[in-house]
Amino acid sequence: MKLIEAPNYKVGLFVTTMAIISAVMAVKVGDNPKLLFGGKTANLVLPDAAGLMKGGQVKMSGIPIGVIRDIKLENGLAKVTIKLTTDTPLYLSATAKLKSQGILGEKYIDIHPGSSSDPVLTDGESIQRVIDQGSLDQVIGQISQISDSIRQIA
């Protein structure tokens, strides 16, 4: 009996193939099949991307609608690429806010789609209005400035 015709060989080949396909799909798709098969991308340009991570959440009204696909440095600024997994259109007046989950939680991007009377952003376009809600580091920095001012007065 030839090795290729043996039932154990065929079962082993089938199991190995399915394991490889499953692993690739798990890495590509994750929790949302639209990450592989659809959705659109948008970009944000930030002066500081501290606390944002690849794979981090993008939300709208507290509901996950996408993920952070890439963060890279361009001309001294952070360019963040997000992948949206819903069909909710984003308009030219769309706003992105950097928010934290809890006082020490990881940062995520909260999207407001903008006004439906504005033109729709096409795939890969940038969201121009970005608002940083602040961070614990900023609060500590402001407290430090206030305490320095009080020392100078006293």
Side-chain angles (χ1 to χ4, degrees):
M1 184 194 283
K2 295 182 181 176
L3 179 64
I4 294 176
E5 294 176 0
N8 289 344
Y9 178 79
K10 290 179 182 178
V11 170
L13 183 63
F14 176 76
V15 169
T16 303
T17 303
M18 294 311 293
I20 291 171
I21 290 171
S22 296
V24 169
M25 293 299 286
V27 169
K28 292 280 187 180
V29 177
D31 291 334
N32 198 325
K34 281 200 172 185
L35 290 178
L36 181 62
F37 301 113
K40 77 170 147 180
T41 60
N43 298 306
L44 316 167
V45 177
L46 310 166
D48 184 5
L52 291 178
M53 299 183 306
K54 284 183 183 179
Q57 290 189 335
V58 177
K59 296 181 178 184
M60 185 179 292
S61 300
I63 299 168
I65 62 162
V67 295
I68 298 171
R69 295 297 277 181
D70 194 26
I71 302 172
K72 59 185 170 185
L73 190 63
E74 262 187 27
N75 301 320
L77 298 171
K79 181 179 179 184
V80 180
T81 302
I82 60 174
K83 178 82 171 187
L84 302 176
T85 58
T86 65
D87 296 328
T88 304
L90 295 181
Y91 301 98
L92 194 58
S93 59
T95 303
K97 291 183 183 177
L98 301 181
K99 292 186 171 183
S100 293
Q101 292 183 355
I103 197 164
L104 298 175
E106 82 176 54
K107 283 192 174 182
Y108 67 93
I109 298 172
D110 186 59
I111 302 287
H112 182 273
S115 173
S116 59
S117 62
D118 291 334
V120 175
L121 286 179
T122 60
D123 190 41
E125 265 193 285
S126 291
I127 297 173
Q128 300 298 320
R129 297 176 57 201
V130 180
I131 301 167
D132 188 350
Q133 294 285 84
S135 68
L136 189 58
D137 291 337
Q138 290 174 335
V139 171
I140 291 171
Q142 289 174 349
I143 290 172
S144 176
Q145 288 176 350
I146 291 169
S147 66
D148 289 344
S149 298
I150 291 172
R151 273 190 224 123
Q152 290 175 358
I153 293 171

